[in-house]
Amino acid sequence: MSSLDTLMQDLVIANRILAKEDVVDAYGHVSVRHPDDPKRFLIARSLAPDLVGPEDIVELDLGGQPTRDDGRSLYLERFIHAAIFEARPDVMAVVHAHAEDTLPFGIADGTRLRPVIHSGSFIGIEVPVWDIADRFGDTNLLVTNIEQGRDLAKCLGANSVALMRGHGFATAARSLIEVVRLSVYLPRNARALMRAKQLGGDIKYLSQGEIDARNRGYRPYSPETWRTWEYWANKAGCGHLLTRPDDGHAHPHIRRDNAGLQ
Ligand SMILES: [Zn+2]
């Protein structure tokens, strides 16, 4: 199987995991940069992530347009992915979702969303909030063109997560495994923080040193990381699609070093 086929299967797995873990429902999407052409990326056609199969994957350019227009409907908000891939050469995978537990932090400015649990460390110390109204006034809040996508990517900057006011979030990472992991733990971290606020008193966030220590110990294909991916894939009913990089299939899109994203 080619690295492209392997990556498409991984993208299907990512779709199913995000659905099973309640990060996405009928809406929300995940994408991965093309392994052979950094100016393209792969994403499903307009379809609920839980229903995505390999035949539903389409190839788009960094303007958000299909490289081969076969008439299939595309996600309206595909420009989120296009603009982040365009702005961030280090990013290999992107998720956009509306997970409910993250929404209050994009609306209320009293409490910033920051890591409070160890598995939330990959969120990074800074989570910017993007408000589409700042530049585009009254819209339907959806990112429906490349200019809006670029404005969001600018707000994301070098961070891993941007919240989108009254809408959801965008996450960016070096691989599919990382972006899925980040997107699953982001709402959980938000939930823990919200419950802690209800208990009252000061909130103890992860320190920069703790976040750095977590990052230093992280490897995308370590047994610990693989264990999560394997567990989630089987729980989502697609364990049969799993391909370990050790199986002899190349994963050229994965950077093995630990530089780059926090
Ligand atoms: Zn959306």
Side-chain angles (χ1 to χ4, degrees):
M1 206 161 48
S2 74
S3 62
L4 180 59
D5 291 337
T6 306
L7 193 57
M8 283 169 67
Q9 286 208 169
D10 283 350
L11 185 55
V12 171
I13 293 171
N15 271 276
R16 306 282 186 84
I17 290 175
L18 291 170
K20 187 70 179 178
E21 300 301 318
D22 282 332
V23 180
V24 297
D25 46 26
Y27 302 101
H29 15 85
V30 52
S31 63
V32 66
R33 199 185 289 270
H34 196 290
D36 305 322
D37 184 351
K39 294 193 176 309
R40 298 178 178 191
F41 65 98
L42 306 166
I43 191 168
R45 67 183 174 90
S46 181
L47 190 66
D50 196 38
L51 306 177
V52 168
E55 66 283 1
D56 299 307
I57 306 300
V58 296
E59 200 178 289
L60 306 184
D61 62 27
L62 298 189
Q65 300 307 324
T67 56
R68 285 182 302 271
D69 193 356
D70 56 10
R72 291 195 282 183
S73 298
L74 302 172
Y75 290 129
L76 291 176
E77 295 196 284
R78 59 190 182 277
F79 303 101
I80 294 170
H81 304 258
I84 293 174
F85 284 127
E86 180 186 57
R88 292 277 302 274
D90 60 313
V91 164
M92 295 296 148
V94 174
V95 165
H96 167 60
H98 309 140
E100 200 175 318
D101 290 314
T102 64
L103 296 178
F105 296 95
I107 302 166
D109 61 6
T111 301
R112 302 294 299 269
L113 181 57
R114 283 168 50 193
V116 287
I117 55 175
H118 77 292
S119 48
S121 62
F122 302 106
I123 295 167
I125 201 88
E126 177 78 27
V127 179
V129 178
W130 179 68
D131 187 346
I132 193 169
D134 287 347
R135 212 185 122 194
F136 301 98
D138 289 337
T139 64
N140 63 3
L141 279 88
L142 303 182
V143 178
T144 54
N145 60 54
I146 193 68
E147 286 74 29
Q148 292 171 340
R150 284 174 180 152
D151 197 50
L152 168 61
K154 196 171 152 198
C155 175
L156 174 69
N159 300 293
S160 303
V161 183
L163 296 179
M164 301 159 72
R165 192 269 301 168
H167 179 175
F169 69 81
T171 48
R174 295 169 298 184
S175 69
L176 271 175
I177 288 187
E178 283 172 81
V179 87
V180 166
R181 181 189 168 99
L182 177 59
S183 305
V184 169
Y185 285 118
L186 179 69
R188 292 185 189 181
N189 186 90
R191 204 152 55 232
L193 176 53
M194 218 143 34
R195 287 181 179 158
K197 288 289 285 183
Q198 287 164 357
L199 293 176
D202 290 339
I203 297 295
K204 198 154 192 176
Y205 292 96
L206 262 61
S207 69
Q208 181 68 61
E210 287 171 333
I211 292 172
D212 293 343
R214 293 273 306 160
N215 279 331
R216 274 198 300 277
Y218 179 75
R219 296 286 180 277
Y221 284 93
S222 69
E224 294 75 22
T225 307
W226 181 261
R227 192 168 78 196
T228 317
W229 181 251
E230 188 178 41
Y231 164 68
W232 278 334
N234 278 283
K235 192 176 160 194
C238 52
H240 60 288
L241 295 177
L242 285 168
T243 312
R244 246 184 199 282
D246 305 342
D247 291 347
H249 303 298
H251 274 237
H253 60 291
I254 305 283
R255 283 175 51 183
R256 302 301 179 101
D257 62 282
N258 211 27
L261 290 182
Q262 292 286 299

